[in-house]
Amino acid sequence: MLTLNTVAQMLVRVCGLVQVVLGVIFWTGGALALLPVHILVGLLLVLALWTVALVGLRSGAGAGLAVVALDWGVVVVILGLTQGTLLNGGAHWVVQALHLVVGLAAIGLAERVGALTRRRLTGAVGATAR
């Protein structure tokens, strides 16, 4: 399970980096043809987040936070797939900023749950929740 946790965390990190780079490109008005790639990578990120969360649940590490991560993945998908229809016009930047914050929070959740899981699986000392 430790290997699965590590692989899923690395996938979240790589996908997160790709998403931020693509997001900046989109926000500056370029390469909108890559939007399907952004969606696909976002879905992959959420699947990796869910994997980290499920490994966390199975290992008994941070069960409450793991459930939050599972639910957060649903929020990421719903917001990501519907953001184009929300607050169109001059206020759409609010939805774009929210989309960024929600995505970064998903990455942070994967990091936290993954770290708790790693500590639990390796029996590391000082595995207290912060």
Side-chain angles (χ1 to χ4, degrees), residues 4-5 7-13 15 42-54 110:
L4 181 58
N5 182 63
V7 169
Q9 261 192 293
M10 291 305 295
L11 188 56
V12 167
R13 292 170 183 159
C15 288
L43 292 172
L44 187 57
L45 187 150
V46 169
L47 289 174
L49 169 65
W50 286 339
T51 301
V52 169
L54 291 172

Side-chain angles (χ1 to χ4, degrees), residues 8-35:
Q9 261 192 293
M10 291 305 295
L11 188 56
V12 167
R13 292 170 183 159
V14 170
C15 288
L17 177 62
V18 169
Q19 291 300 79
V20 170
V21 169
L22 285 173
V24 168
I25 291 169
F26 297 151
W27 218 339
T28 59
L32 292 177
L34 293 176
L35 191 57

Side-chain angles (χ1 to χ4, degrees), residues 64-128:
L65 198 57
V67 169
V68 169
L70 290 169
D71 292 341
W72 199 257
V74 173
V75 171
V76 171
V77 170
I78 291 171
L79 180 60
L81 294 177
T82 62
Q83 81 164 6
T85 64
L86 303 173
L87 287 178
N88 286 325
H92 187 65
W93 70 268
V94 174
V95 176
Q96 292 172 319
L98 179 63
H99 181 69
L100 173 63
V101 170
V102 167
L104 291 175
I107 296 166
L109 278 169
E111 286 297 314
R112 186 69 181 135
V113 174
L116 290 171
T117 301
R118 188 172 31 266
R119 286 186 198 127
R120 175 70 176 220
L121 292 175
T122 60
V125 179
T128 58

